[in-house]
Amino acid sequence: MHNLEKYIVLMPTKQTFKISIFLLLISFAVKAQTVPDVDKLSDQQIELFIKQAESKGMSEMQIEAAAKANGYTSEDIIKVRERINRIKTNTTSTANQPNTTVREQIGEVSERAETQVDTKSSVEKKGNVFGREMFSNKQLNFEPNLRLPTPANYVLGPDDELSVDITGYAYQHYDLRISAEGTVKIESLAPIYLNGLSVQKAKEKILQRLKTIFAGLSNGGLNMDLTLGKVRSIKVTVVGEVQNPGTYSVSSLATLFNALYVSAGPNTIGSFRNIQLLRNNKIIQTFDLYDFLLEGSMHGNVGLQDQDVVFIPVADRKVEFIGQVKRPMIYELKSGDNLADAVKYAGGFTDNAYKATISIRRNTDKEREILSVNAEQIRTFGLQNGDKIEINNILDRYTNKVEVLGAVFRPGEYAIGKDMKTVGQLLSKAEGLREDAFRNRALLRREQENNDPIFIPLDLNQILKGEDFELKREDVLIIKSITELRELRKVSITGAINQSGEYDYADNMTVNDLIILSGGLQIGATIKHIEIARRLFNDESNDQQVDIITVEGNLELNIQATKYYLKPFDQVFIRELPNYQIQEKVKIEGEVNYPGEYAIKNRTERISDLINRAGGQRPDAYLKGAKFFRDGKQVAVNLEEVLKDQKAVINLFLENGDRIIIPKEEQVVRINGQVLNPTTVAFQPDFSFREYIAQAGGFSDSAFVRKTYVKYANGLTNRTRSFLGYKDFPRVEKGMQIIVPVKHRDRLSKAEIISISTAFVSLSAVLLTLVRLL
C-alpha cells in the first residue's frame, strides 16, 4: 500500500470518476487484507470514498494494475463503476443500458505496460530506430473499437455473455453466460455447448433448441435476436526481444497490434519486420510493422485468441543512414532488401543529396572499411548488418555557369552551352552593352587550376569587331560604366536661395540652370554679385587654392540671358541685398501709453527709442523696477538712468525678441535666507536696512551677515561692505529682495585644535616674559 500511496501523490489527476473506482477497491483490500465482496459495499461507503478519491491523483493505468494486483477482477471493477454511476445520476436500474457499455468497460481494463525507452543503450546513442517512436508516443492507442456491432465471426468462449431476445406476439429475454465447460443453460433445456463457435453458429444452435419451447419460432410468428453482451478477457503472452515481455490480459476483441501496444513494442534489438503470432505451437501469422509505418496498411493485424503467443525475434540486419536522406535513422532490412530499398525506407534522398557516389562504412571481422557505391549499383548492392550509409551534400558550385556584371542591359548568370561559348555571345545574351559602358577595358575574373583567381583584361571594342574570347566555367565578366570610373560630379549652391545644397552636374550647365534647380532666389537675394568658387587643376606651386569668378551685371533668368557655364565641383554663392533685413520684433509691456509689439526700425534703435515710440511711461510707472529680457533671460538695466542719458552705455541696441516690462510702483520688500522669519513687509521710507532685518526676526545663528546682498526690482544687485568690523549695508528701495546667505562653519580637526592651543600657550608665555622684563 505504501507504493500505491506514493503513486497517488506523484501522478497527475486524470478522470476523477475512474480513479475513485480503483481507490475504493484498493482501500478496502488493504484494510481487510482480503478481497471483499463488491456487492456488500453500501452506497454510503462508496460516496465516502468518492470524496476521498477526488482529492488525489493517479493515472488510470497504474490504479488499474494496483487493483488487479490486489485480487480484483475486471467484472468487480465494472460493478463498482455502475454503482457509482447510479449514485451520481440517482438511477437504480441498468436494464436500459446498452450491451456495448459493458463490453467497452471490459476492454478498458486490459492490462497495459508503460513504454520504457532504454536511452542508455548503444543503439539509441547512435540514432533513433525507425518505428520506435510509435511505441513511445502516449497519444497513440491501439485499443479495439468496442462500440461496433457484434462481429458474426467472433469465436465464443467461457465468460462471454449473450443476450437473447424473443419478440413478436410474445416477449422473452435471456442473459446467458458461457460456463467454464463452454455451455449455457436456458430454463429446463439441456446445456447448449457453444465454446469455439462463432456468434452466427451459436445463434443457429440456440434457435434450434428454443423451437422446442416456442412454436412461433418455427412458423415465423416469433423472432429471435442474439447479441454479444459482455466480452471476456483473454491471456496473451508476448516474448522475445520485446520491451516489456510477459502475459497480458486483453479484450477478446484485441488484435496483434493491441498486444504490441501493451508490451511497448520491440526493444532495441528486436525485429519490426518478422513479428510472429503462434497458436497451438504453430506460426499462424507473420507481421511486418513497416507495412503500417510506411504505407498505413493493417494487413496481418489479425485477432487474438486465448493463450496466443506473440514472438519477436532478433532483427537480422540493421543499417543506419546519416546525411542527406529525409529520415536519417536506423532501419531493419529483410532478406532480399538492397540499398535502393533502404533508401526508400529512409524516405528517399533530399534535394541536396549527392547521388553519384554513396559512402558505406562497414565492420569486418578485424577492422572497418569504406565502400563507394555509384548510382548504377544502388539497385543491386547488398547491405550487411551494422552498415552505416552516409549521403553527402552536393558541391556548392556549378558545372556550366558564367556571370556578367555591370554596364549591360541584363546582368546576371548564364549557362555555357552550344549557343554560348564566348564573351561576344555572352554580351548578346545580356542584350548588349549600355551606352555608358567603358569599352576600352573590361575584366574577366577566372579561377585557375589551384582555385586562385586571376584577372584577364579585355578590350570590348575588339570583342565587338570579332576578336572574341572563349569562356570557361565560373568566369565572371565585369564591365564598368564611365560614371563608375570617375568621381561623382556635383555642383553646389548656397546663400539666398530657396533650396541650397548639392546637385548633379550635367554638361552645358549654367548658373541660371542651377538657380532654377535650387528653387529660385529668395526675396532678398541680389543677382548683381554672384561668386563661383572653382577648383584649380594644375601642378604649379602657388598659394592660390581656388579660382573665384564674380558674375557681375543683371543676371536674367531667361533663355536669352548671358550664360555662365559651370564645371564639375563648382560652388555658387548667392548674396543678399546690403540693406535687406526681414522684420524683427520687440515687445514692451506694462506702464506705457501704447504697449505691444514693435518692429525694429533700423540697426541703431535703442531701448529709449522704443519707450518713446510706445508714447512714454505713464505717471504710475516705476522705472526703477523695470525689467529687460533678452533670449528669455533678464538683463539688469536701470531704465531711469537710460531715460536721463540716452547716450549712456546701458541704453542697449534692440535685438529681435527683446522684451521690456515696466511695472507699477512696488511697495514691498522681501527678506529671504538665514533670518528667523523669512517674510515680505511693506516698504517704509524711514526704515533702515537693519530695521527690515528686524521685521524678519533678525539674523539666524547660521547667517553670513557680511555677505548679505540685495536684488533690486530691475535685476541689479548690491552687496554689504565691511571694514574693521563696520558693515555698510546696501541702500533700501521699493520692490527689492534681501538675501542672507548661510555661513558654513568648518569644524577643526583634533590636530588643528592642538596646534592652535599650542600656539596660544606659546604666545602667552612670550607675553608673560615681556611683562616681567618691563
Side-chain angles (χ1 to χ4, degrees):
M1 184 59 186
H2 295 297
N3 292 332
L4 177 60
E5 291 175 349
K6 180 179 179 181
Y7 280 132
I8 294 173
V9 173
L10 295 178
M11 293 304 296
T13 303
K14 286 193 175 181
Q15 296 176 341
T16 305
F17 175 66
K18 295 180 180 180
I19 291 173
S20 61
I21 297 172
F22 301 119
L23 288 176
L24 175 65
L25 295 173
I26 296 167
S27 299
F28 268 102
V30 172
K31 291 180 180 179
Q33 299 300 321
T34 57
V35 179
D37 188 354
V38 174
D39 295 329
K40 295 182 179 179
L41 296 176
S42 65
D43 289 347
Q44 291 76 14
Q45 289 174 316
I46 294 178
E47 290 177 353
L48 174 63
F49 283 104
I50 290 174
K51 294 178 180 179
Q52 294 177 353
E54 289 176 349
S55 64
K56 300 183 181 294
M58 186 174 176
S59 71
E60 175 190 350
M61 188 185 340
Q62 291 172 329
I63 298 173
E64 176 184 316
K68 290 251 183 177
N70 282 276
Y72 288 98
T73 65
S74 300
E75 288 78 5
D76 291 333
I77 296 173
I78 293 171
K79 289 180 181 179
V80 176
R81 285 184 179 180
E82 292 173 348
R83 290 193 58 186
I84 291 176
N85 185 56
R86 289 199 300 271
I87 293 173
K88 287 182 174 289
T89 57
N90 293 321
T91 57
T92 59
S93 175
T94 60
N96 297 325
Q97 296 289 334
N99 291 331
T100 55
T101 301
V102 179
R103 190 195 315 170
E104 178 182 348
Q105 291 178 6
I106 287 290
E108 286 181 349
V109 297
S110 301
E111 293 182 357
R112 289 166 288 182
E114 286 287 346
T115 301
Q116 303 293 332
V117 180
D118 184 9
T119 58
K120 297 181 180 180
S121 68
S122 59
V123 176
E124 292 295 334
K125 289 181 180 178
K126 292 180 180 178
N128 294 326
V129 176
F130 178 65
R132 188 80 206 96
E133 186 179 356
M134 180 179 70
F135 297 102
S136 302
N137 185 2
K138 295 183 179 180
Q139 304 300 321
L140 191 62
N141 194 330
F142 293 101
E143 286 291 330
N145 187 355
L146 301 175
R147 296 183 180 275
L148 294 174
T150 302
N153 60 347
Y154 177 77
V155 178
L156 297 173
D159 292 333
D160 278 338
E161 290 190 3
L162 302 174
S163 296
V164 177
D165 290 288
I166 297 175
T167 56
Y169 60 80
Y171 174 77
Q172 182 64 42
H173 173 77
Y174 297 103
D175 287 326
L176 308 177
R177 180 175 183 141
I178 301 176
S179 66
E181 290 76 19
T183 61
V184 295
K185 187 76 169 62
I186 301 178
E187 294 190 5
S188 59
L189 297 176
I192 306 173
Y193 188 79
L194 301 179
N195 185 41
L197 297 181
S198 66
V199 173
Q200 183 62 34
K201 292 293 184 181
K203 180 179 180 181
E204 295 173 358
K205 194 169 185 178
I206 293 174
L207 178 62
Q208 292 299 322
R209 190 66 60 87
L210 287 177
K211 286 181 179 180
T212 61
I213 302 176
F214 299 96
L217 293 175
S218 299
N219 57 25
L222 295 177
N223 296 315
M224 187 198 82
D225 291 324
L226 183 144
T227 59
L228 186 63
K230 183 190 299 183
V231 298
R232 69 188 185 278
S233 295
I234 61 176
K235 297 291 184 180
V236 177
T237 301
V238 185
V239 293
E241 301 304 327
V242 64
Q243 193 72 25
N244 295 307
T247 300
Y248 295 90
S249 293
V250 296
S251 166
S252 55
L253 294 176
T255 63
L256 182 56
F257 263 23
N258 302 132
L260 294 174
Y261 166 67
V262 297
S263 62
N267 60 21
T268 54
I269 64 173
S271 174
F272 280 73
R273 314 205 58 188
N274 189 28
I275 300 172
Q276 300 172 5
L277 176 61
L278 289 82
R279 186 173 296 161
N280 298 324
N281 297 322
K282 294 182 180 180
I283 299 176
I284 66 165
Q285 184 70 42
T286 300
F287 184 65
D288 187 351
L289 268 175
Y290 277 25
D291 291 340
F292 175 72
L293 295 173
L294 297 175
E295 302 175 5
S297 172
M298 299 289 285
H299 176 73
N301 185 27
V302 298
L304 299 175
Q305 294 186 15
D306 193 34
Q307 303 305 317
D308 276 355
V309 175
V310 178
F311 176 69
I312 301 178
V314 175
D316 183 40
R317 280 191 300 165
K318 282 190 176 182
V319 297
E320 182 180 2
F321 275 95
I322 57 175
Q324 297 303 312
V325 290
K326 295 179 180 178
R327 287 192 300 265
M329 303 177 77
I330 296 174
Y331 295 88
E332 180 183 352
L333 304 183
K334 295 181 72 173
S335 177
D337 284 345
N338 53 37
L339 180 55
D341 297 319
V343 171
K344 182 180 69 174
Y345 299 151
F349 296 108
T350 65
D351 296 337
N352 296 324
Y354 177 65
K355 306 173 188 176
T357 303
I358 297 175
S359 297
I360 299 176
R361 300 177 185 271
R362 176 169 294 177
N363 298 328
T364 66
D365 294 338
K366 294 183 179 181
E367 52 193 359
R368 297 177 181 175
E369 65 177 351
I370 293 180
L371 305 175
S372 296
V373 181
N374 58 41
E376 291 76 15
Q377 297 174 316
I378 291 179
R379 295 189 177 278
T380 59
F381 187 83
L383 295 171
Q384 295 183 9
N385 186 40
D387 281 354
K388 181 177 289 186
I389 306 161
E390 184 174 2
I391 311 297
N392 295 315
N393 287 313
I394 58 175
L395 297 177
D396 188 17
R397 57 187 298 178
Y398 295 87
T399 59
N400 62 341
K401 184 192 76 170
V402 292
E403 188 174 3
V404 58
L405 302 174
V408 292
F409 284 104
R410 293 203 177 273
E413 298 174 347
Y414 294 89
I416 296 177
K418 295 180 180 180
D419 58 341
M420 196 197 74
K421 295 181 180 181
T422 65
V423 172
Q425 292 170 339
L426 175 60
L427 293 177
S428 177
K429 285 284 186 180
E431 296 189 8
L433 297 170
R434 291 204 316 250
E435 293 80 2
D436 61 340
F438 183 69
R439 304 188 177 198
N440 295 339
R441 189 180 183 91
L443 296 176
L444 183 69
R445 185 184 184 277
R446 173 169 291 176
E447 292 184 358
Q448 302 181 75
E449 293 182 358
N450 60 354
N451 285 340
D452 285 342
I454 183 173
F455 280 107
I456 302 173
L458 299 174
D459 187 344
L460 296 182
N461 294 310
Q462 300 299 322
I463 295 291
L464 296 176
K465 289 179 181 179
E467 297 180 12
D468 219 338
F469 189 86
E470 188 172 352
L471 293 170
K472 291 185 178 181
R473 180 182 62 84
E474 299 290 350
D475 279 354
V476 179
L477 179 62
I478 303 170
I479 302 173
K480 291 293 184 179
S481 66
I482 296 175
T483 56
E484 289 179 301
L485 298 177
R486 67 188 179 194
E487 188 179 352
L488 188 63
R489 299 190 300 175
K490 295 280 187 178
V491 292
S492 66
I493 185 169
T494 57
I497 200 75
N498 287 323
Q499 298 175 10
S500 60
E502 285 190 336
Y503 293 86
D504 292 332
Y505 173 79
D507 291 338
N508 205 34
M509 177 181 279
T510 66
V511 174
N512 304 61
D513 300 329
L514 184 57
I515 291 174
I516 294 296
L517 289 174
S518 58
L521 301 171
Q522 293 180 354
I523 297 298
T526 176
I527 57 176
K528 295 181 179 180
H529 191 74
I530 298 175
E531 286 187 349
I532 302 173
R534 179 167 293 166
R535 292 182 183 181
L536 292 177
F537 298 93
N538 58 61
D539 56 357
E540 298 179 3
S541 299
N542 54 48
D543 295 333
Q544 188 174 358
Q545 297 178 344
V546 295
D547 187 15
I548 303 297
I549 304 170
T550 302
V551 180
E552 299 289 354
N554 189 7
L555 185 66
E556 298 291 341
L557 298 180
N558 55 53
I559 195 168
Q560 290 80 21
T562 304
K563 295 183 178 180
Y564 290 89
Y565 290 102
L566 297 174
K567 291 186 177 181
F569 317 113
D570 278 356
Q571 295 181 352
V572 180
F573 301 91
I574 308 296
R575 311 298 181 188
E576 290 184 344
L577 293 168
N579 293 322
Y580 177 77
Q581 181 70 43
I582 63 173
Q583 296 90 334
E584 295 181 338
K585 295 185 294 184
V586 294
K587 190 173 186 180
I588 186 169
E589 303 175 9
E591 300 306 312
V592 292
N593 288 319
Y594 303 107
E597 289 186 333
Y598 289 84
I600 298 175
K601 187 185 301 184
N602 53 52
R603 301 176 188 273
T604 61
E605 192 167 15
R606 298 175 181 267
I607 294 175
S608 59
D609 299 326
L610 176 61
I611 295 175
N612 292 332
R613 289 175 63 187
Q617 72 270 20
R618 293 177 182 173
D620 56 348
Y622 184 51
L623 292 179
K624 288 186 177 181
K627 298 179 177 63
F628 181 81
F629 294 92
R630 176 165 288 172
D631 297 328
K633 299 179 181 179
Q634 185 177 356
V635 180
V637 176
N638 190 336
L639 289 190
E640 192 175 42
E641 294 183 8
V642 167
L643 294 179
K644 287 180 181 179
D645 184 7
Q646 296 186 5
K647 295 182 180 180
V649 177
I650 60 174
N651 190 13
L652 304 177
F653 292 109
L654 295 176
E655 293 183 6
N656 186 44
D658 285 353
R659 181 171 167 232
I660 300 174
I661 302 175
I662 301 178
K664 292 182 178 180
E665 184 178 272
E666 295 190 42
Q667 299 178 336
V668 296
V669 174
R670 300 174 180 84
I671 306 102
N672 294 320
Q674 300 304 308
V675 292
L676 296 177
N677 182 30
T679 186
T680 300
V681 299
F683 175 76
Q684 297 291 334
D686 54 344
F687 269 23
S688 66
F689 188 90
R690 287 187 177 276
E691 287 177 313
Y692 281 107
I693 295 296
Q695 293 295 315
F699 295 109
S700 67
D701 293 339
S702 59
F704 204 164
V705 177
R706 61 190 181 89
K707 293 293 184 180
T708 301
Y709 67 96
V710 297
K711 185 176 182 181
Y712 296 108
N714 58 8
L716 294 173
T717 59
N718 199 1
R719 66 182 179 84
T720 300
R721 292 169 176 81
S722 179
F723 181 72
L724 297 177
Y726 174 75
K727 297 178 180 61
D728 182 16
F729 292 104
R731 72 180 184 279
V732 177
E733 289 186 2
K734 298 176 183 178
M736 76 175 184
Q737 182 179 5
I738 301 173
I739 299 107
V740 183
V742 62
K743 185 175 184 179
H744 297 284
R745 292 181 175 86
D746 296 329
R747 293 184 179 181
L748 297 176
S749 65
K750 292 182 179 180
E752 291 173 334
I753 294 173
I754 293 172
S755 177
I756 294 172
S757 300
T758 303
F760 274 114
V761 171
S762 300
L763 181 60
S764 301
V766 172
L767 293 175
L768 286 174
T769 303
L770 290 174
V771 170
R772 289 174 183 173
L773 291 176
L774 295 175

